[in-house]
Amino acid sequence: MVVGAGYVGLVAATCLSKSGHNVLCIEKDKNKVKQLKMGVPTIYEEGIKKILTECLANGNLRFSSDFVIEKDTEIMIIAVGTPSLPDGRVDLSYVEDVFRKIVVEIEHPLVVVMKSTVPPGIGEKLKQHYLNKAKAPISYVSNPEFLREGQAIWDWYNPDRIVIGGDSAESIDKVLELYSDIEAPKFIMNVTSAEMVKYASNAFLATKISFINEIANLCDLVGADITSVTQAMGKDQRIGTQFLKAGLGYGGSCFPKDTRALEYVSTLNGHKFNLLKAVIEVNQGQRILAVRKLKKALGELNGQRVGVLGIAFKPNTDDVREAPSLSIISLLLDEGAEVIAYDPIVKGINLKSGLFNVKITNDLLQAVKDCNALVICTEWREIINADWDKVFEKMTEPKVILDGRNCLPKRQIVELGFKYIGMGVQ
Ligand code: UGA
């Protein structure tokens, strides 16, 4: 049984059923359940539709909006959302709702596997607070997920590691059986350590990004080129080439939320995590820096028509949660610019972002028409491979491109007549 058909839940449910397990996926959103029952994925993820269709047809995968623990359920995987609260804390209300239901419903032994990202220490608290009250023995196992959006199915079958935290050998073995067809190093530890692996990994990757953004900013000041610098740096195997792409910083539903939550947990425990504070601050600063760079190039933003290319927080996803594009659009609007946004797949911006009056199009050449400047927020293939000759024709002087992802070939772009500004690119 998998509770929650969001990113992690739906990928877990489909992939586990594909591996031959009998999976019931519970999702309280009835519309989502209706859609999933018809074989239509509710997330944009390569390969998921095929598995979904196959497993619905062979009966290994079922969906329901009713929370019922069937008699033969051995394992319940919790994959509900743990969003950020305004003060950085994690909102555990969805997780706690599930625990309340388990306590009421359960009549036979069960292994509860936590895949939702919960801060270090929370698993032990949940165990004490809820599971002792259940009518049947419940064992708790932490099994954090390291899937990347847009590559989630591939990541499921090819993980760098599988982390399992728990104190019952029997339950840990049961969880290991779920992954018997997956080759990866498996690390067994206590619940809190497993929770920490997840946060430490995301915080470390976020640190790499903010570090390289600081170096890029310094490159701009001293005349070095970040692309050359990172290519050579990355060849040191202790550093590695990944997560050294400078630009507008990290977005998405994970890094921003998890870095804030770890910082909160640190403060709560009397630990001043200065490095992490700086990582968060640098990340926010990159978006402001980009708009400042554009303002400097244009003289002023008021009355200028600016095309924002790429709304999703990264390519190959339609997710706009904490996307740098949203902050950039807000800042541009605040400065009086007229904004038109393009994304190859994002169709609208959630009302919660407050940007509901921004024009969005899925046609790049339409977006750039009469623009004085463009800001590239996502390195989509459709943007990199756009017909830049045509883009030039459609735009209005001074035809500035702020390449927030350093993804365009500067020399060719300048040769076409554009004024190019990168993030640490010479
Ligand atoms: C991230 C982690 O990579 C996953 O391992 C983890 O499971 C997931 O969070 C999670 O906690 O659920 P994801 O948010 O899908 O996955 O995205 P990433 O591919 O890691 O990218 C995150 C952000 O960092 C994006 O905005 C991306 O543009 C930015 N980034 C990434 C850079 O600015 N520079 C880089 O070099 C790499």
Side-chain angles (χ1 to χ4, degrees):
M1 175 173 179
V2 175
V3 185
Y7 231 92
V8 171
L10 190 58
V11 172
T14 48
C15 292
L16 286 170
S17 56
K18 166 91 179 153
S19 296
H21 302 285
N22 184 339
V23 180
L24 170 66
C25 182
I26 310 284
E27 164 60 52
K28 64 179 179 187
D29 182 334
K30 290 192 169 128
N31 286 329
K32 270 194 190 177
V33 170
K34 204 169 144 197
Q35 197 176 323
L36 289 166
K37 278 182 170 174
M38 291 189 302
V40 182
T42 44
I43 56 171
Y44 180 87
E45 194 64 51
E46 207 185 312
I48 201 159
K49 185 167 174 53
K50 192 167 170 273
I51 308 180
L52 182 63
T53 317
E54 185 185 316
C55 295
L56 282 170
N58 68 21
N60 275 356
L61 179 59
R62 291 168 297 136
F63 291 96
S64 171
S65 49
D66 299 325
F67 191 98
V68 177
I69 308 175
E70 296 177 331
K71 281 199 187 71
D72 53 357
T73 304
E74 294 172 83
I75 295 177
M76 179 193 287
I77 296 178
I78 301 181
V80 295
T82 49
S84 242
L85 289 168
D87 59 2
R89 266 181 312 141
V90 170
D91 178 356
L92 292 168
S93 57
Y94 302 113
V95 168
E96 293 194 74
D97 276 352
V98 177
F99 275 84
R100 275 184 219 106
K101 285 180 187 151
I102 298 175
V103 170
V104 174
E105 289 263 335
I106 195 67
E107 283 177 350
H108 64 269
L110 184 72
V111 179
V112 168
V113 178
M114 183 61 81
K115 265 202 189 294
S116 299
T117 301
V118 296
I122 291 298
E124 288 300 335
K125 286 204 174 116
L126 290 169
K127 273 164 70 178
Q128 281 167 22
H129 202 261
Y130 293 98
L131 298 187
N132 298 337
K133 294 177 193 152
K135 281 175 273 168
I138 298 180
S139 176
Y140 183 97
V141 173
S142 166
N143 176 213
E145 203 41 75
F146 304 98
L147 303 172
R148 288 164 298 178
E149 287 190 24
Q151 280 151 281
I153 302 287
W154 195 91
D155 283 348
W156 178 274
Y157 290 111
N158 303 279
D160 289 332
R161 74 297 208 191
I162 289 172
V163 174
I164 299 177
D167 47 21
S168 145
E170 200 188 325
S171 308
I172 290 169
D173 282 345
K174 269 204 159 137
V175 179
L176 281 170
E177 271 170 38
L178 289 178
Y179 301 110
S180 56
D181 58 339
I182 293 173
E183 253 180 64
K186 294 168 178 120
F187 294 94
I188 313 296
M189 56 193 75
N190 70 26
V191 168
T192 310
S193 306
E195 292 164 343
M196 187 59 97
V197 174
K198 170 73 187 182
Y199 278 89
S201 301
N202 276 1
F204 186 78
L205 292 171
T207 304
K208 256 187 126 174
I209 298 170
S210 280
F211 179 84
I212 212 61
N213 281 336
E214 286 277 67
I215 295 291
N217 299 343
L218 193 53
C219 280
D220 265 337
L221 297 173
V222 299
D225 177 60
I226 190 67
T227 314
S228 314
V229 171
T230 48
Q231 271 169 0
M233 260 178 86
K235 281 290 169 208
D236 183 327
Q237 285 178 17
R238 294 166 303 175
I239 298 172
T241 48
Q242 295 193 52
F243 279 73
L244 287 187
K245 272 197 273 157
L248 298 176
Y250 59 82
S253 66
C254 306
F255 288 176
K257 164 175 90 87
D258 293 351
T259 44
R260 284 195 297 264
L262 191 59
E263 209 243 299
Y264 186 89
V265 169
S266 304
T267 309
L268 195 68
N269 285 280
H271 173 62
K272 217 170 166 204
F273 203 154
N274 289 327
L275 179 59
L276 191 58
K277 283 183 203 291
V279 167
I280 297 167
E281 196 183 317
V282 169
N283 196 56
Q284 285 158 350
Q286 286 308 102
R287 301 159 188 209
I288 301 166
L289 176 71
V291 175
R292 278 187 46 215
K293 277 175 172 242
L294 189 66
K295 191 171 177 180
K296 196 171 159 210
L298 290 171
E300 76 159 321
L301 288 163
N302 192 17
Q304 306 271 6
R305 188 172 162 96
V306 182
V308 170
L309 304 188
I311 307 171
F313 83 95
K314 65 172 186 178
N316 305 320
T317 175
D318 61 350
D319 198 342
V320 300
R321 284 176 287 178
E322 307 227 19
S325 63
L326 302 186
S327 321
I328 303 257
I329 294 173
S330 286
L331 291 165
L332 290 171
L333 292 175
D334 285 351
E335 292 283 337
E338 183 194 346
V339 176
I340 173 123
Y342 159 81
D343 192 278
I345 61 168
V346 174
K347 297 230 169 2
I349 301 177
N350 190 317
L351 289 187
K352 269 195 251 164
S353 70
L355 299 173
F356 42 91
N357 55 357
V358 174
K359 276 176 258 158
I360 297 175
T361 168
N362 299 123
D363 179 342
L364 190 139
L365 290 177
Q366 191 187 322
V368 302
K369 195 167 169 287
D370 300 330
C371 282
N372 306 104
L374 304 175
V375 182
I376 298 177
C377 290
T378 320
E379 64 279 32
W380 279 103
R381 209 179 315 123
E382 288 81 349
I383 295 173
I384 297 169
N385 299 334
D387 185 340
W388 287 98
D389 256 325
K390 270 213 181 106
V391 172
F392 189 80
E393 274 169 34
K394 297 233 167 219
M395 284 177 68
T396 299
E397 291 296 333
K399 307 193 188 188
V400 174
I401 294 184
L402 182 104
D403 185 356
R405 294 296 181 183
N406 294 342
C407 61
L408 296 183
K410 180 181 175 184
R411 204 183 309 146
Q412 280 106 298
I413 291 291
V414 170
E415 271 167 15
L416 287 174
F418 289 106
K419 291 177 185 62
Y420 178 94
I421 312 161
M423 304 291 282
V425 175
Q426 302 311 312

